[in-house]
Amino acid sequence: MTTTKAMTMTTVSIALMLALSTSSVYAAQDNAYHHEAEIGFLDSDDGGDGIFNANYRYYFKAVEQADKPYALADFFHQGSKVAVRYSTSDFDDIYALSGQYVFDSNWFINAEVSQVDFEEYEYSTTLDSFTIYAVNLGYFFTDYSALTLGYSTMSESKATSFTSSSYNSERYYSNDFDAFRLTYEHFIPLQSTVGVMLTGTLAYSDEQYSDHFLNSDTNDQGQVTNSNSEQNITYDRYNVAINADWYINNSWSVGAVIEQGNTDTHYNYSSANYDDVGSIDQTDTSTSINTRYTWRFADIFSAKFSLSYSNFDGEYENDSQTNFSVGVNARF
């Protein structure tokens, strides 16, 4: 697996260098577009088989992409659109439908519904799928800045049972999630290079997990023994993140992200023989650096490359990960 990962990353590095060295051979026309479609693949050194992504957007007003970073054409457009996306991995499949409407007053609203389907396991008793609903309200202060307040929610439950001549088991599982997010985006033009994109985010989420077991066992003398248990866990999370992307030119950027989160966990476990109530408070910090490049090799098509390294520093664990992605984008 390690050899395969190394060969794949080497291939991506070679492709990126070729793109950088040949980008001046052909000058693609930066025409305005209404349609944008993209397919991509993201992989990492965590041992998984990666994530495949596909998405499509339709803009009601043509998007101008000349004389600005290609990756920020959507941000500068500040227009109404609809979009669909799909991603798949070893663990889940995600389907999403979203739309945005921009008012003449520079206020905008967008909404998204996402369906997450997990890989099925024969004896799985957790959720097989859930649906996330999200809505955002925002305002464009200038052509270079925007403030967005977002809310997302998910509430799902599942019941399973097993019955035999002497044994009966029932399980009730539920998961409820609510999140609020405030995001400010600001692009700063520069003279010697294109500019810097700054993004600041404040987020809060509340997640409630509940798991109930109801069991009854009948022995040979007809005596019934009940062994019920209940587990409830609540997670309160607070996050703050700052992201800076420096666009050296319209195709190439380097960036960094720093994020700090605090999680307050409350748990309550009870059964016939054991009870436990408590809480855990932890603070985690994650940092990452990245570089991205868009190779405009045709009037419609572009190849996209990205490479990032992240480090997670938690109270109970530390981890680092390298991610890379390749994709093909079409704008017409």
Side-chain angles (χ1 to χ4, degrees):
M1 178 66 71
T2 303
T3 302
T4 302
K5 292 287 185 181
M7 292 177 63
T8 306
M9 294 187 68
T10 301
T11 302
V12 173
S13 300
I14 293 174
L16 180 56
M17 288 188 293
L18 288 174
L20 290 169
S21 63
T22 60
S23 58
S24 61
V25 175
Y26 174 81
Q29 298 298 312
D30 292 331
N31 300 320
Y33 61 93
H34 284 276
H35 308 267
E36 182 171 19
E38 184 172 313
I39 57 173
F41 180 77
L42 182 145
D43 205 355
S44 66
D45 58 2
D46 62 357
D49 289 335
I51 302 173
F52 173 81
N53 299 282
N55 62 73
Y56 167 79
R57 292 183 215 146
Y58 175 76
Y59 297 90
F60 292 94
K61 182 177 69 174
V63 181
E64 301 292 340
Q65 61 177 332
D67 301 323
K68 58 177 64 73
Y70 298 118
L72 298 182
D74 178 81
F75 172 77
F76 287 114
H77 176 57
Q78 300 185 353
S80 301
K81 61 187 176 183
V82 292
V84 293
R85 62 183 176 91
Y86 167 74
S87 71
T88 182
S89 69
D90 293 341
F91 310 102
D92 55 33
D93 296 304
I94 302 176
Y95 309 84
L97 174 66
S98 63
Q100 173 174 284
Y101 183 78
V102 181
F103 299 89
D104 294 336
S105 59
N106 288 338
W107 286 92
F108 64 90
I109 185 170
N110 59 56
E112 179 179 271
V113 56
S114 306
Q115 176 74 27
V116 182
D117 295 334
F118 294 101
E119 290 296 323
E120 294 185 6
Y121 300 97
E122 183 177 359
Y123 301 106
S124 174
T125 52
T126 56
L127 295 177
D128 298 323
S129 65
F130 59 79
T131 303
I132 302 174
Y133 301 93
V135 61
N136 300 281
L137 177 66
Y139 183 76
F140 294 114
F141 291 100
T142 67
D143 293 339
Y144 301 102
S145 60
L147 181 68
T148 306
L149 176 63
Y151 169 71
S152 58
T153 183
M154 181 272 288
S155 180
E156 300 291 341
S157 61
K158 181 181 180 180
T160 60
S161 63
F162 174 79
T163 303
S164 68
S165 58
S166 61
Y167 181 76
N168 182 70
S169 174
E170 297 179 14
R171 183 183 184 187
Y172 300 93
Y173 175 94
S174 65
N175 194 9
D176 299 288
F177 176 85
D178 294 282
F180 298 87
R181 180 181 297 269
L182 182 66
T183 303
Y184 180 71
E185 300 168 280
H186 193 104
F187 182 79
I188 303 174
L190 300 176
Q191 292 184 349
S192 57
T193 59
V194 177
V196 176
M197 184 68 176
L198 298 176
T199 304
T201 303
L202 295 173
Y204 166 76
S205 65
D206 173 75
E207 183 176 4
Q208 298 182 17
Y209 163 89
S210 180
D211 208 354
H212 296 185
F213 292 88
L214 306 175
N215 303 314
S216 62
D217 193 359
T218 306
N219 62 22
D220 295 337
Q221 289 74 40
Q223 296 174 326
V224 178
T225 301
N226 294 318
S227 57
N228 302 332
S229 64
E230 180 178 345
Q231 180 178 233
N232 297 286
I233 304 176
T234 300
Y235 303 96
D236 290 311
R237 298 186 179 96
Y238 302 86
N239 290 81
V240 57
I242 299 176
N243 182 9
D245 290 303
W246 174 35
Y247 286 86
I248 300 169
N249 53 45
N250 290 336
S251 296
W252 184 25
S253 70
V254 293
V257 182
I258 181 170
E259 179 177 359
Q260 186 171 70
N262 177 266
T263 303
D264 190 11
T265 304
H266 300 271
Y267 60 89
N268 183 344
Y269 178 81
S270 64
S271 65
N273 303 316
Y274 180 76
D275 292 300
D276 187 18
V277 178
S279 63
I280 302 173
D281 184 80
Q282 65 184 82
T283 299
D284 305 312
T285 302
S286 62
T287 57
S288 67
I289 55 176
N290 65 78
T291 183
R292 301 183 179 94
Y293 188 82
T294 301
W295 176 25
R296 297 270 296 139
F297 63 86
D299 293 344
I300 294 178
F301 295 103
S302 300
K304 301 176 70 175
F305 308 89
S306 71
L307 181 66
S308 67
Y309 173 81
S310 60
N311 182 73
F312 177 80
D313 184 14
E315 292 189 14
Y316 302 100
E317 64 174 326
N318 297 302
D319 190 23
S320 61
Q321 183 171 289
T322 300
N323 298 317
F324 60 91
S325 67
V326 294
V328 176
N329 177 279
R331 294 174 170 178
F332 53 97

